Amino acid sequence: MDHKMSRSPWVIHYDGSSCNGCDIEVLASLTPLFDAERFGVVNTGNPKHADIFLVTGSVNAQNLPVVRQIYSQMLEPKCVVACGICACSGGVFRDAYNVIGGVDRAIPVDVYAPGCAIRPETVIDAIVEACGILDQKEAVMRAGGDPLTVGGAATWDGGVELGEDGFVAAAGAGADGAGGAPAEKPAAPAAGDAPAETPVAAKEAE
């Protein structure tokens, strides 16, 4: 029997921290108007039943563990689709104090589907592309290989880790500000130390 994962992919959708614009479009792709079910796509709420993980919104310190937990509960082979520009890179919120970055700061991403908001046609195209990656991963597994050598996991840098204080402890995003560790807070002055001179005080002293 010629079995293929792509014949009936089940998807699970998680909203990281989006404005809900992309969420509405993801749901629209499953309605009769766009009818993603004609490809055998079924929406499920159980990670253990899902083959494709659709994530909307950026990643922050609070939802990063949740995204990883859902991903870890999914069985191999599995694919991750970043839906919308916020999920791809952080979008307009990229430099916000509470945004770590896109979904690939938390888990490996196989398909990037940009848009603000993402169009239902783009969601369907991304799912179809993910189905092809699912077939590749399944073929690797049947041959006794590791599915993590296919797709986004093969080039993933490991994402970020959170320290005990809940802030980013380490990151592989470089110095562009996305996913990087927050700047260190200035040390509080010791008891009895004179406060640093402000520009105003210095000017008055002149």
Side-chain angles (χ1 to χ4, degrees), residues 12-77:
I12 183 169
H13 170 226
Y14 176 77
D15 171 21
S17 57
S18 75
C19 66
N20 292 328
C22 288
D23 301 327
I24 294 171
E25 300 302 321
V26 168
L27 294 177
S29 68
L30 300 171
T31 60
L33 178 61
F34 296 96
D35 195 18
E37 288 191 5
R38 68 182 183 271
F39 300 111
V41 177
V42 177
N43 189 26
T44 179
N46 191 335
K48 294 180 174 65
H49 296 167
D51 306 304
I52 300 174
F53 189 12
L54 303 180
V55 188
T56 53
S58 58
V59 171
N60 55 46
Q62 289 187 328
N63 65 33
L64 184 143
V66 179
V67 172
R68 285 181 172 164
Q69 183 180 31
I70 295 174
Y71 179 77
S72 66
Q73 290 177 356
M74 296 175 64
L75 303 178
E76 294 288 358

Side-chain angles (χ1 to χ4, degrees), residues 82-96:
C83 296
I85 193 62
C86 288
C88 290
S89 66
V92 296
F93 305 106
R94 181 182 178 91
D95 296 323

Side-chain angles (χ1 to χ4, degrees), residues 104-105 152-153 155-160 171-174:
D104 56 9
R105 296 291 84 218
T155 57
W156 192 50
D157 65 0
V160 299

Side-chain angles (χ1 to χ4, degrees), residues 114-166:
C116 184
I118 188 173
R119 295 175 61 85
E121 297 92 337
T122 307
V123 175
I124 294 174
D125 288 343
I127 292 175
V128 171
E129 186 174 345
C131 287
I133 297 175
L134 273 179
D135 285 339
Q136 295 176 31
K137 291 186 176 185
E138 184 187 20
V140 169
M141 291 181 67
R142 287 181 176 274
D146 184 357
L148 296 180
T149 60
V150 180
T155 57
W156 192 50
D157 65 0
V160 299
E161 295 297 335
L162 300 180
E164 294 180 359
D165 58 357

